[in-house]
Short mmCIF file of all heavy atoms in Angstrom, two decimals:
data_model
loop_
_atom_site.label_atom_id
_atom_site.label_comp_id
_atom_site.label_asym_id
_atom_site.label_seq_id
_atom_site.Cartn_x
_atom_site.Cartn_y
_atom_site.Cartn_z
N CYS Z 1 -93.92 93.96 15.27
CA CYS Z 1 -92.78 94.38 14.48
C CYS Z 1 -92.61 95.90 14.59
O CYS Z 1 -93.50 96.61 15.05
CB CYS Z 1 -92.95 93.95 13.03
SG CYS Z 1 -94.20 94.84 12.11
N ALA Z 2 -91.49 96.38 14.16
CA ALA Z 2 -91.17 97.80 14.28
C ALA Z 2 -92.18 98.67 13.54
O ALA Z 2 -92.56 99.74 14.01
CB ALA Z 2 -89.77 98.08 13.75
N GLN Z 3 -92.65 98.20 12.39
CA GLN Z 3 -93.62 98.99 11.62
C GLN Z 3 -94.94 99.14 12.37
O GLN Z 3 -95.57 100.20 12.30
CB GLN Z 3 -93.86 98.35 10.26
CG GLN Z 3 -92.70 98.50 9.32
CD GLN Z 3 -92.95 97.82 7.98
OE1 GLN Z 3 -93.76 96.90 7.89
NE2 GLN Z 3 -92.25 98.27 6.96
N GLY Z 4 -95.34 98.11 13.09
CA GLY Z 4 -96.57 98.18 13.87
C GLY Z 4 -96.45 99.18 15.00
O GLY Z 4 -97.38 99.95 15.26
N ILE Z 5 -95.31 99.18 15.67
CA ILE Z 5 -95.07 100.14 16.74
C ILE Z 5 -95.06 101.55 16.17
O ILE Z 5 -95.70 102.46 16.69
CB ILE Z 5 -93.73 99.86 17.47
CG1 ILE Z 5 -93.77 98.52 18.18
CG2 ILE Z 5 -93.42 100.99 18.45
CD1 ILE Z 5 -92.43 98.09 18.74
N GLU Z 6 -94.34 101.73 15.08
CA GLU Z 6 -94.25 103.07 14.47
C GLU Z 6 -95.61 103.58 14.03
O GLU Z 6 -95.99 104.72 14.30
CB GLU Z 6 -93.30 103.03 13.28
CG GLU Z 6 -93.06 104.39 12.66
CD GLU Z 6 -91.96 104.41 11.63
OE1 GLU Z 6 -91.37 103.34 11.34
OE2 GLU Z 6 -91.69 105.50 11.11
N LYS Z 7 -96.39 102.73 13.39
CA LYS Z 7 -97.73 103.12 12.94
C LYS Z 7 -98.61 103.51 14.12
O LYS Z 7 -99.33 104.51 14.07
CB LYS Z 7 -98.36 101.96 12.16
CG LYS Z 7 -99.63 102.30 11.47
CD LYS Z 7 -100.11 101.15 10.61
CE LYS Z 7 -101.39 101.51 9.89
NZ LYS Z 7 -101.84 100.43 9.02
N SER Z 8 -98.53 102.75 15.21
CA SER Z 8 -99.33 103.07 16.40
C SER Z 8 -98.87 104.36 17.06
O SER Z 8 -99.70 105.18 17.47
CB SER Z 8 -99.25 101.92 17.40
OG SER Z 8 -99.86 100.77 16.89
N LEU Z 9 -97.57 104.57 17.15
CA LEU Z 9 -97.06 105.79 17.77
C LEU Z 9 -97.40 107.03 16.94
O LEU Z 9 -97.62 108.10 17.48
CB LEU Z 9 -95.54 105.70 17.97
CG LEU Z 9 -95.07 104.76 19.08
CD1 LEU Z 9 -93.56 104.58 19.02
CD2 LEU Z 9 -95.48 105.28 20.45
N GLN Z 10 -97.47 106.87 15.63
CA GLN Z 10 -97.79 108.00 14.76
C GLN Z 10 -99.24 108.46 14.90
O GLN Z 10 -99.58 109.54 14.43
CB GLN Z 10 -97.45 107.68 13.31
CG GLN Z 10 -95.97 107.68 13.05
CD GLN Z 10 -95.60 107.30 11.64
OE1 GLN Z 10 -96.36 106.65 10.92
NE2 GLN Z 10 -94.41 107.68 11.23
N THR Z 11 -100.07 107.68 15.57
CA THR Z 11 -101.45 108.10 15.80
C THR Z 11 -101.53 109.14 16.92
O THR Z 11 -102.56 109.79 17.07
CB THR Z 11 -102.36 106.91 16.14
OG1 THR Z 11 -101.95 106.33 17.38
CG2 THR Z 11 -102.35 105.86 15.04
N ILE Z 12 -100.46 109.30 17.68
CA ILE Z 12 -100.43 110.30 18.75
C ILE Z 12 -100.21 111.67 18.12
O ILE Z 12 -99.27 111.86 17.34
CB ILE Z 12 -99.31 110.00 19.77
CG1 ILE Z 12 -99.51 108.61 20.38
CG2 ILE Z 12 -99.25 111.07 20.85
CD1 ILE Z 12 -98.34 108.13 21.22
N ASP Z 13 -101.05 112.63 18.47
CA ASP Z 13 -101.00 113.96 17.84
C ASP Z 13 -99.64 114.64 17.93
O ASP Z 13 -99.22 115.29 16.99
CB ASP Z 13 -102.05 114.89 18.48
CG ASP Z 13 -103.47 114.50 18.07
OD1 ASP Z 13 -103.63 113.84 17.02
OD2 ASP Z 13 -104.40 114.87 18.80
N ASP Z 14 -98.95 114.53 19.06
CA ASP Z 14 -97.72 115.28 19.28
C ASP Z 14 -96.46 114.60 18.76
O ASP Z 14 -95.36 115.11 18.97
CB ASP Z 14 -97.56 115.59 20.77
CG ASP Z 14 -98.66 116.51 21.29
OD1 ASP Z 14 -99.15 117.35 20.50
OD2 ASP Z 14 -99.03 116.40 22.47
N VAL Z 15 -96.58 113.46 18.08
CA VAL Z 15 -95.40 112.78 17.55
C VAL Z 15 -94.96 113.45 16.26
O VAL Z 15 -95.74 113.62 15.33
CB VAL Z 15 -95.68 111.28 17.31
CG1 VAL Z 15 -94.56 110.63 16.53
CG2 VAL Z 15 -95.86 110.56 18.64
N ASP Z 16 -93.69 113.86 16.23
CA ASP Z 16 -93.13 114.51 15.04
C ASP Z 16 -92.30 113.53 14.21
O ASP Z 16 -92.41 113.50 12.99
CB ASP Z 16 -92.26 115.68 15.47
CG ASP Z 16 -91.73 116.47 14.30
OD1 ASP Z 16 -92.50 116.72 13.36
OD2 ASP Z 16 -90.54 116.83 14.31
N ASP Z 17 -91.48 112.71 14.87
CA ASP Z 17 -90.64 111.75 14.17
C ASP Z 17 -90.35 110.57 15.10
O ASP Z 17 -90.36 110.73 16.33
CB ASP Z 17 -89.33 112.42 13.75
CG ASP Z 17 -88.56 111.65 12.68
OD1 ASP Z 17 -89.08 110.64 12.17
OD2 ASP Z 17 -87.43 112.07 12.35
N ILE Z 18 -90.09 109.41 14.52
CA ILE Z 18 -89.85 108.19 15.30
C ILE Z 18 -88.69 107.43 14.68
O ILE Z 18 -88.60 107.33 13.45
CB ILE Z 18 -91.09 107.26 15.29
CG1 ILE Z 18 -92.31 107.98 15.83
CG2 ILE Z 18 -90.82 105.98 16.06
CD1 ILE Z 18 -93.61 107.27 15.54
N TYR Z 19 -87.84 106.87 15.54
CA TYR Z 19 -86.80 105.95 15.08
C TYR Z 19 -86.86 104.73 15.99
O TYR Z 19 -86.79 104.85 17.21
CB TYR Z 19 -85.41 106.58 15.14
CG TYR Z 19 -84.31 105.62 14.78
CD1 TYR Z 19 -84.23 105.06 13.51
CD2 TYR Z 19 -83.36 105.24 15.72
CE1 TYR Z 19 -83.24 104.16 13.18
CE2 TYR Z 19 -82.36 104.35 15.39
CZ TYR Z 19 -82.30 103.82 14.12
OH TYR Z 19 -81.31 102.92 13.81
N ILE Z 20 -87.00 103.56 15.38
CA ILE Z 20 -87.06 102.32 16.13
C ILE Z 20 -85.86 101.46 15.74
O ILE Z 20 -85.63 101.23 14.55
CB ILE Z 20 -88.38 101.56 15.84
CG1 ILE Z 20 -89.57 102.43 16.25
CG2 ILE Z 20 -88.39 100.22 16.55
CD1 ILE Z 20 -90.91 101.88 15.88
N ASN Z 21 -85.14 101.02 16.75
CA ASN Z 21 -83.98 100.16 16.52
C ASN Z 21 -84.20 98.88 17.31
O ASN Z 21 -83.89 98.81 18.50
CB ASN Z 21 -82.69 100.87 16.94
CG ASN Z 21 -81.46 100.11 16.57
OD1 ASN Z 21 -81.35 98.92 16.85
ND2 ASN Z 21 -80.51 100.79 15.94
N ILE Z 22 -84.78 97.90 16.67
CA ILE Z 22 -85.11 96.63 17.32
C ILE Z 22 -83.84 95.90 17.76
O ILE Z 22 -83.79 95.29 18.82
CB ILE Z 22 -85.97 95.74 16.40
CG1 ILE Z 22 -87.32 96.40 16.12
CG2 ILE Z 22 -86.14 94.34 16.97
CD1 ILE Z 22 -88.23 96.54 17.31
N ASP Z 23 -82.79 95.96 16.94
CA ASP Z 23 -81.53 95.26 17.26
C ASP Z 23 -80.91 95.74 18.56
O ASP Z 23 -80.29 94.97 19.28
CB ASP Z 23 -80.51 95.42 16.13
CG ASP Z 23 -80.96 94.73 14.85
OD1 ASP Z 23 -81.77 93.79 14.93
OD2 ASP Z 23 -80.52 95.15 13.77
N ASN Z 24 -81.06 97.03 18.85
CA ASN Z 24 -80.48 97.60 20.07
C ASN Z 24 -81.53 97.91 21.13
O ASN Z 24 -81.25 98.55 22.13
CB ASN Z 24 -79.67 98.86 19.74
CG ASN Z 24 -78.42 98.53 18.96
OD1 ASN Z 24 -77.52 97.89 19.49
ND2 ASN Z 24 -78.38 98.92 17.71
N TYR Z 25 -82.76 97.48 20.88
CA TYR Z 25 -83.84 97.54 21.87
C TYR Z 25 -84.22 98.96 22.31
O TYR Z 25 -84.35 99.22 23.50
CB TYR Z 25 -83.50 96.70 23.10
CG TYR Z 25 -83.06 95.30 22.78
CD1 TYR Z 25 -81.72 94.95 22.80
CD2 TYR Z 25 -83.99 94.33 22.42
CE1 TYR Z 25 -81.30 93.67 22.49
CE2 TYR Z 25 -83.58 93.04 22.10
CZ TYR Z 25 -82.24 92.73 22.14
OH TYR Z 25 -81.82 91.46 21.82
N PHE Z 26 -84.39 99.89 21.36
CA PHE Z 26 -84.85 101.21 21.77
C PHE Z 26 -85.70 101.88 20.71
O PHE Z 26 -85.67 101.53 19.54
CB PHE Z 26 -83.68 102.11 22.19
CG PHE Z 26 -82.78 102.55 21.06
CD1 PHE Z 26 -83.11 103.64 20.27
CD2 PHE Z 26 -81.59 101.89 20.80
CE1 PHE Z 26 -82.29 104.05 19.25
CE2 PHE Z 26 -80.75 102.29 19.78
CZ PHE Z 26 -81.11 103.37 18.99
N VAL Z 27 -86.47 102.85 21.19
CA VAL Z 27 -87.32 103.69 20.35
C VAL Z 27 -87.03 105.14 20.73
O VAL Z 27 -86.94 105.46 21.91
CB VAL Z 27 -88.82 103.38 20.60
CG1 VAL Z 27 -89.71 104.33 19.82
CG2 VAL Z 27 -89.15 101.94 20.29
N VAL Z 28 -86.88 106.00 19.73
CA VAL Z 28 -86.69 107.43 19.98
C VAL Z 28 -87.85 108.16 19.32
O VAL Z 28 -88.20 107.88 18.18
CB VAL Z 28 -85.35 107.94 19.40
CG1 VAL Z 28 -85.15 109.41 19.70
CG2 VAL Z 28 -84.18 107.13 19.93
N ILE Z 29 -88.44 109.10 20.06
CA ILE Z 29 -89.60 109.84 19.57
C ILE Z 29 -89.33 111.33 19.72
O ILE Z 29 -88.96 111.78 20.80
CB ILE Z 29 -90.87 109.48 20.37
CG1 ILE Z 29 -91.13 107.98 20.33
CG2 ILE Z 29 -92.07 110.27 19.85
CD1 ILE Z 29 -92.17 107.51 21.32
N ASP Z 30 -89.52 112.09 18.64
CA ASP Z 30 -89.50 113.55 18.73
C ASP Z 30 -90.94 114.00 18.90
O ASP Z 30 -91.84 113.53 18.18
CB ASP Z 30 -88.95 114.18 17.44
CG ASP Z 30 -87.44 114.26 17.40
OD1 ASP Z 30 -86.81 114.12 18.46
OD2 ASP Z 30 -86.90 114.46 16.30
N SER Z 31 -91.16 114.91 19.83
CA SER Z 31 -92.49 115.43 20.10
C SER Z 31 -92.58 116.89 19.71
O SER Z 31 -91.62 117.65 19.87
CB SER Z 31 -92.80 115.28 21.60
OG SER Z 31 -94.02 115.90 21.90
N THR Z 32 -93.73 117.30 19.21
CA THR Z 32 -93.96 118.70 18.89
C THR Z 32 -94.43 119.48 20.11
O THR Z 32 -94.49 120.69 20.08
CB THR Z 32 -95.02 118.83 17.77
OG1 THR Z 32 -96.22 118.19 18.20
CG2 THR Z 32 -94.54 118.20 16.48
N SER Z 33 -94.73 118.77 21.17
CA SER Z 33 -95.25 119.40 22.39
C SER Z 33 -94.13 119.64 23.39
O SER Z 33 -93.25 118.79 23.56
CB SER Z 33 -96.30 118.48 23.03
OG SER Z 33 -96.61 118.91 24.33
N GLU Z 34 -94.16 120.77 24.05
CA GLU Z 34 -93.17 121.05 25.11
C GLU Z 34 -93.35 120.09 26.28
O GLU Z 34 -92.41 119.80 26.99
CB GLU Z 34 -93.30 122.50 25.58
CG GLU Z 34 -92.77 123.49 24.57
CD GLU Z 34 -92.82 124.91 25.08
OE1 GLU Z 34 -92.80 125.11 26.32
OE2 GLU Z 34 -92.86 125.83 24.25
N LYS Z 35 -94.56 119.62 26.49
CA LYS Z 35 -94.84 118.69 27.59
C LYS Z 35 -94.38 117.27 27.26
O LYS Z 35 -94.25 116.44 28.13
CB LYS Z 35 -96.34 118.66 27.88
CG LYS Z 35 -96.88 119.94 28.44
CD LYS Z 35 -98.36 119.79 28.70
CE LYS Z 35 -98.96 121.08 29.21
NZ LYS Z 35 -100.40 120.94 29.44
N GLY Z 36 -94.15 116.99 25.97
CA GLY Z 36 -93.78 115.64 25.57
C GLY Z 36 -95.02 114.76 25.48
O GLY Z 36 -96.15 115.22 25.45
N ILE Z 37 -94.76 113.48 25.44
CA ILE Z 37 -95.83 112.48 25.33
C ILE Z 37 -95.84 111.68 26.62
O ILE Z 37 -94.77 111.28 27.10
CB ILE Z 37 -95.57 111.56 24.13
CG1 ILE Z 37 -95.53 112.40 22.85
CG2 ILE Z 37 -96.63 110.48 24.01
CD1 ILE Z 37 -94.87 111.73 21.69
N PRO Z 38 -96.99 111.45 27.21
CA PRO Z 38 -97.03 110.71 28.47
C PRO Z 38 -96.37 109.33 28.37
O PRO Z 38 -96.63 108.57 27.43
CB PRO Z 38 -98.54 110.57 28.76
CG PRO Z 38 -99.18 111.67 27.97
CD PRO Z 38 -98.32 111.86 26.76
N ASP Z 39 -95.51 109.03 29.34
CA ASP Z 39 -94.80 107.75 29.36
C ASP Z 39 -95.76 106.56 29.28
O ASP Z 39 -95.49 105.59 28.58
CB ASP Z 39 -93.96 107.61 30.64
CG ASP Z 39 -92.77 108.57 30.67
OD1 ASP Z 39 -92.52 109.27 29.67
OD2 ASP Z 39 -92.09 108.60 31.72
N GLU Z 40 -96.85 106.65 29.99
CA GLU Z 40 -97.80 105.54 30.03
C GLU Z 40 -98.40 105.27 28.64
O GLU Z 40 -98.63 104.12 28.27
CB GLU Z 40 -98.91 105.83 31.05
CG GLU Z 40 -99.66 104.61 31.49
CD GLU Z 40 -98.80 103.57 32.21
OE1 GLU Z 40 -97.79 103.92 32.85
OE2 GLU Z 40 -99.14 102.37 32.10
N MET Z 41 -98.62 106.32 27.87
CA MET Z 41 -99.15 106.17 26.52
C MET Z 41 -98.14 105.43 25.64
O MET Z 41 -98.50 104.50 24.91
CB MET Z 41 -99.49 107.54 25.92
CG MET Z 41 -100.15 107.47 24.57
SD MET Z 41 -100.51 109.11 23.88
CE MET Z 41 -101.73 109.70 25.04
N ILE Z 42 -96.88 105.83 25.72
CA ILE Z 42 -95.81 105.18 24.94
C ILE Z 42 -95.69 103.72 25.36
O ILE Z 42 -95.64 102.82 24.52
CB ILE Z 42 -94.48 105.91 25.15
CG1 ILE Z 42 -94.56 107.33 24.59
CG2 ILE Z 42 -93.33 105.14 24.50
CD1 ILE Z 42 -93.41 108.23 25.00
N LYS Z 43 -95.65 103.49 26.66
CA LYS Z 43 -95.50 102.14 27.19
C LYS Z 43 -96.64 101.24 26.71
O LYS Z 43 -96.41 100.12 26.26
CB LYS Z 43 -95.45 102.17 28.71
CG LYS Z 43 -95.28 100.81 29.33
CD LYS Z 43 -95.21 100.88 30.84
CE LYS Z 43 -95.08 99.48 31.43
NZ LYS Z 43 -95.00 99.51 32.88
N ASN Z 44 -97.86 101.71 26.79
CA ASN Z 44 -99.03 100.91 26.39
C ASN Z 44 -98.96 100.50 24.92
O ASN Z 44 -99.27 99.36 24.58
CB ASN Z 44 -100.33 101.66 26.67
CG ASN Z 44 -100.65 101.73 28.14
OD1 ASN Z 44 -100.15 100.96 28.95
ND2 ASN Z 44 -101.48 102.70 28.50
N ILE Z 45 -98.55 101.41 24.07
CA ILE Z 45 -98.46 101.11 22.63
C ILE Z 45 -97.40 100.03 22.38
O ILE Z 45 -97.63 99.09 21.63
CB ILE Z 45 -98.15 102.39 21.83
CG1 ILE Z 45 -99.41 103.28 21.80
CG2 ILE Z 45 -97.68 102.06 20.41
CD1 ILE Z 45 -99.19 104.65 21.22
N ILE Z 46 -96.26 100.16 23.04
CA ILE Z 46 -95.17 99.20 22.83
C ILE Z 46 -95.53 97.83 23.41
O ILE Z 46 -95.31 96.80 22.77
CB ILE Z 46 -93.85 99.75 23.40
CG1 ILE Z 46 -93.43 100.98 22.59
CG2 ILE Z 46 -92.76 98.68 23.41
CD1 ILE Z 46 -92.27 101.75 23.16
N VAL Z 47 -96.14 97.82 24.58
CA VAL Z 47 -96.55 96.56 25.21
C VAL Z 47 -97.65 95.90 24.38
O VAL Z 47 -97.63 94.68 24.16
CB VAL Z 47 -96.98 96.79 26.67
CG1 VAL Z 47 -97.69 95.57 27.24
CG2 VAL Z 47 -95.78 97.16 27.53
N ASP Z 48 -98.60 96.69 23.89
CA ASP Z 48 -99.67 96.14 23.04
C ASP Z 48 -99.12 95.51 21.76
O ASP Z 48 -99.74 94.62 21.18
CB ASP Z 48 -100.69 97.22 22.68
CG ASP Z 48 -101.59 97.59 23.86
OD1 ASP Z 48 -101.55 96.88 24.89
OD2 ASP Z 48 -102.30 98.61 23.75
N ALA Z 49 -97.94 95.98 21.32
CA ALA Z 49 -97.31 95.42 20.12
C ALA Z 49 -96.53 94.14 20.43
O ALA Z 49 -95.96 93.53 19.54
CB ALA Z 49 -96.39 96.46 19.48
N GLY Z 50 -96.48 93.79 21.72
CA GLY Z 50 -95.84 92.54 22.10
C GLY Z 50 -94.42 92.67 22.61
O GLY Z 50 -93.70 91.68 22.73
N TYR Z 51 -94.00 93.89 22.94
CA TYR Z 51 -92.65 94.11 23.44
C TYR Z 51 -92.69 94.56 24.89
O TYR Z 51 -93.70 95.09 25.35
CB TYR Z 51 -91.93 95.18 22.60
CG TYR Z 51 -91.67 94.74 21.18
CD1 TYR Z 51 -92.59 94.98 20.17
CD2 TYR Z 51 -90.50 94.06 20.85
CE1 TYR Z 51 -92.36 94.56 18.87
CE2 TYR Z 51 -90.25 93.64 19.55
CZ TYR Z 51 -91.18 93.90 18.57
OH TYR Z 51 -90.96 93.48 17.29
N ASP Z 52 -91.59 94.37 25.59
CA ASP Z 52 -91.46 94.85 26.97
C ASP Z 52 -90.84 96.23 26.97
O ASP Z 52 -90.04 96.56 26.11
CB ASP Z 52 -90.56 93.92 27.79
CG ASP Z 52 -91.18 92.55 28.00
OD1 ASP Z 52 -92.41 92.47 28.12
OD2 ASP Z 52 -90.42 91.57 28.04
N VAL Z 53 -91.18 97.03 27.98
CA VAL Z 53 -90.57 98.34 28.17
C VAL Z 53 -89.76 98.27 29.46
O VAL Z 53 -90.31 98.03 30.53
CB VAL Z 53 -91.64 99.45 28.26
CG1 VAL Z 53 -91.00 100.79 28.58
CG2 VAL Z 53 -92.44 99.52 26.98
N LYS Z 54 -88.46 98.45 29.34
CA LYS Z 54 -87.57 98.40 30.50
C LYS Z 54 -87.48 99.76 31.18
O LYS Z 54 -87.45 99.86 32.39
CB LYS Z 54 -86.16 97.94 30.11
CG LYS Z 54 -86.14 96.56 29.52
CD LYS Z 54 -86.53 95.52 30.52
CE LYS Z 54 -86.46 94.13 29.90
NZ LYS Z 54 -87.11 93.12 30.65
N LYS Z 55 -87.39 100.83 30.37
CA LYS Z 55 -87.36 102.18 30.93
C LYS Z 55 -87.70 103.18 29.85
O LYS Z 55 -87.59 102.91 28.66
CB LYS Z 55 -86.00 102.50 31.54
CG LYS Z 55 -84.87 102.64 30.55
CD LYS Z 55 -83.57 103.00 31.27
CE LYS Z 55 -82.43 103.08 30.27
NZ LYS Z 55 -81.19 103.49 30.91
N ILE Z 56 -88.12 104.34 30.29
CA ILE Z 56 -88.40 105.47 29.41
C ILE Z 56 -87.60 106.64 29.95
O ILE Z 56 -87.66 106.93 31.14
CB ILE Z 56 -89.90 105.81 29.36
CG1 ILE Z 56 -90.68 104.64 28.74
CG2 ILE Z 56 -90.13 107.09 28.58
CD1 ILE Z 56 -92.18 104.83 28.72
N GLU Z 57 -86.82 107.27 29.08
CA GLU Z 57 -86.03 108.41 29.54
C GLU Z 57 -86.02 109.50 28.47
O GLU Z 57 -86.21 109.23 27.29
CB GLU Z 57 -84.60 107.99 29.88
CG GLU Z 57 -83.81 107.46 28.71
CD GLU Z 57 -82.41 107.02 29.10
OE1 GLU Z 57 -82.27 105.86 29.54
OE2 GLU Z 57 -81.50 107.84 28.99
N LEU Z 58 -85.83 110.72 28.92
CA LEU Z 58 -85.71 111.86 28.02
C LEU Z 58 -84.24 112.02 27.65
O LEU Z 58 -83.37 111.91 28.50
CB LEU Z 58 -86.20 113.13 28.69
CG LEU Z 58 -87.68 113.17 29.03
CD1 LEU Z 58 -88.01 114.45 29.79
CD2 LEU Z 58 -88.53 113.08 27.79
N ILE Z 59 -83.99 112.29 26.36
CA ILE Z 59 -82.62 112.55 25.92
C ILE Z 59 -82.61 113.86 25.14
O ILE Z 59 -83.65 114.32 24.66
CB ILE Z 59 -82.06 111.40 25.06
CG1 ILE Z 59 -82.89 111.19 23.79
CG2 ILE Z 59 -81.97 110.10 25.87
CD1 ILE Z 59 -82.27 110.23 22.79
N ASP Z 60 -81.43 114.44 24.99
CA ASP Z 60 -81.30 115.70 24.27
C ASP Z 60 -81.10 115.53 22.76
O ASP Z 60 -81.10 116.50 22.03
CB ASP Z 60 -80.13 116.51 24.84
CG ASP Z 60 -80.42 117.03 26.24
OD1 ASP Z 60 -81.60 117.26 26.55
OD2 ASP Z 60 -79.47 117.20 27.01
N GLU Z 61 -80.91 114.29 22.33
CA GLU Z 61 -80.67 114.02 20.91
C GLU Z 61 -81.99 113.99 20.14
O GLU Z 61 -83.00 113.51 20.64
CB GLU Z 61 -79.99 112.66 20.74
CG GLU Z 61 -78.59 112.59 21.27
CD GLU Z 61 -77.60 113.31 20.39
OE1 GLU Z 61 -77.80 113.39 19.16
OE2 GLU Z 61 -76.61 113.82 20.94
N SER Z 62 -81.94 114.47 18.91
CA SER Z 62 -83.13 114.38 18.05
C SER Z 62 -83.17 113.02 17.38
O SER Z 62 -82.16 112.30 17.31
CB SER Z 62 -83.07 115.47 16.97
OG SER Z 62 -82.02 115.19 16.06
N VAL Z 63 -84.33 112.66 16.88
CA VAL Z 63 -84.48 111.41 16.13
C VAL Z 63 -83.51 111.41 14.95
O VAL Z 63 -82.84 110.42 14.67
CB VAL Z 63 -85.93 111.20 15.65
CG1 VAL Z 63 -86.02 110.10 14.62
CG2 VAL Z 63 -86.84 110.90 16.83
N LYS Z 64 -83.41 112.52 14.28
CA LYS Z 64 -82.52 112.64 13.12
C LYS Z 64 -81.08 112.28 13.48
O LYS Z 64 -80.42 111.53 12.77
CB LYS Z 64 -82.60 114.06 12.56
CG LYS Z 64 -81.75 114.29 11.35
CD LYS Z 64 -81.87 115.73 10.87
CE LYS Z 64 -80.92 116.00 9.72
NZ LYS Z 64 -81.01 117.38 9.26
N ASN Z 65 -80.58 112.81 14.59
CA ASN Z 65 -79.21 112.54 15.02
C ASN Z 65 -79.02 111.09 15.43
O ASN Z 65 -78.00 110.47 15.10
CB ASN Z 65 -78.80 113.47 16.17
CG ASN Z 65 -78.63 114.89 15.72
OD1 ASN Z 65 -78.51 115.18 14.54
ND2 ASN Z 65 -78.62 115.81 16.68
N VAL Z 66 -79.97 110.53 16.17
CA VAL Z 66 -79.85 109.14 16.61
C VAL Z 66 -79.91 108.20 15.40
O VAL Z 66 -79.12 107.26 15.28
CB VAL Z 66 -80.96 108.78 17.62
CG1 VAL Z 66 -80.95 107.30 17.95
CG2 VAL Z 66 -80.80 109.61 18.89
N ARG Z 67 -80.81 108.48 14.49
CA ARG Z 67 -80.93 107.67 13.27
C ARG Z 67 -79.61 107.68 12.50
O ARG Z 67 -79.11 106.63 12.07
CB ARG Z 67 -82.06 108.19 12.39
CG ARG Z 67 -82.30 107.37 11.14
CD ARG Z 67 -83.39 107.94 10.24
NE ARG Z 67 -84.70 107.75 10.85
CZ ARG Z 67 -85.52 108.74 11.19
NH1 ARG Z 67 -85.18 110.01 11.00
NH2 ARG Z 67 -86.70 108.48 11.72
N ALA Z 68 -79.02 108.85 12.34
CA ALA Z 68 -77.74 108.97 11.62
C ALA Z 68 -76.63 108.18 12.30
O ALA Z 68 -75.81 107.53 11.64
CB ALA Z 68 -77.36 110.43 11.48
N GLN Z 69 -76.61 108.20 13.63
CA GLN Z 69 -75.61 107.46 14.39
C GLN Z 69 -75.69 105.98 14.15
O GLN Z 69 -74.69 105.31 13.95
CB GLN Z 69 -75.83 107.68 15.90
CG GLN Z 69 -74.91 108.64 16.54
CD GLN Z 69 -75.23 108.69 18.04
OE1 GLN Z 69 -76.39 108.67 18.45
NE2 GLN Z 69 -74.21 108.74 18.85
N TYR Z 70 -76.89 105.43 14.19
CA TYR Z 70 -77.06 103.98 14.12
C TYR Z 70 -77.15 103.43 12.69
O TYR Z 70 -76.83 102.28 12.46
CB TYR Z 70 -78.28 103.54 14.93
CG TYR Z 70 -77.97 103.53 16.40
CD1 TYR Z 70 -78.15 104.68 17.17
CD2 TYR Z 70 -77.46 102.40 17.02
CE1 TYR Z 70 -77.83 104.69 18.52
CE2 TYR Z 70 -77.15 102.40 18.36
CZ TYR Z 70 -77.33 103.55 19.11
OH TYR Z 70 -77.01 103.56 20.44
N GLU Z 71 -77.59 104.22 11.76
CA GLU Z 71 -77.73 103.71 10.40
C GLU Z 71 -76.42 103.71 9.63
O GLU Z 71 -76.31 103.09 8.59
CB GLU Z 71 -78.82 104.47 9.65
CG GLU Z 71 -80.19 104.09 10.19
CD GLU Z 71 -81.34 104.69 9.41
OE1 GLU Z 71 -81.11 105.52 8.50
OE2 GLU Z 71 -82.48 104.31 9.71
N LYS Z 72 -75.41 104.41 10.11
CA LYS Z 72 -74.13 104.38 9.42
C LYS Z 72 -73.24 103.24 9.89
O LYS Z 72 -72.16 103.03 9.38
CB LYS Z 72 -73.40 105.72 9.54
CG LYS Z 72 -72.92 106.08 10.93
CD LYS Z 72 -72.20 107.42 10.90
CE LYS Z 72 -71.87 107.91 12.29
NZ LYS Z 72 -71.28 109.23 12.27
N LYS Z 73 -73.69 102.49 10.91
CA LYS Z 73 -72.89 101.37 11.43
C LYS Z 73 -73.02 100.16 10.53
O LYS Z 73 -73.98 99.91 9.90
CB LYS Z 73 -73.34 101.01 12.86
CG LYS Z 73 -72.95 102.07 13.83
CD LYS Z 73 -73.33 101.64 15.22
CE LYS Z 73 -72.87 102.69 16.24
NZ LYS Z 73 -73.15 102.32 17.59
#
């Protein structure tokens, strides 16, 4: 479930904020590190939670902005 993914992702030191949208099949993570979080680490956590990962990409939007976009729908 989304809470399990979020709880697991929050164990990563560089995670600042997380937004999970199961209905639209995506997760957005804000990182405190300039290097970001390794894709393989993110993928492993999501796969271990029982979900598939189709792709991982960097976006310029913050978790706050993405959350606001989807929660007002």
Side-chain angles (χ1 to χ4, degrees):
C1 72
Q3 288 178 336
I5 295 171
E6 184 171 2
K7 189 174 181 178
S8 294
L9 288 170
Q10 286 177 338
T11 64
I12 301 170
D13 288 338
D14 295 329
V15 169
D16 184 43
D17 197 6
I18 302 166
Y19 175 64
I20 300 173
N21 187 310
I22 296 294
D23 294 336
N24 291 293
Y25 310 102
F26 69 84
V27 175
V28 182
I29 304 168
D30 276 344
S31 174
T32 57
S33 168
E34 287 184 25
K35 293 180 183 179
I37 300 162
D39 291 355
E40 199 62 29
M41 185 181 294
I42 296 167
K43 181 179 178 179
N44 287 341
I45 287 171
I46 294 171
V47 168
D48 286 350
Y51 294 90
D52 293 326
V53 175
K54 299 294 181 194
K55 68 178 177 177
I56 295 177
E57 63 182 85
L58 295 176
I59 61 170
D60 290 331
E61 292 286 330
S62 68
V63 166
K64 181 181 175 181
N65 290 344
V66 173
R67 183 182 288 119
Q69 257 182 320
Y70 283 88
E71 289 186 353
K72 67 179 172 184
K73 290 183 177 182

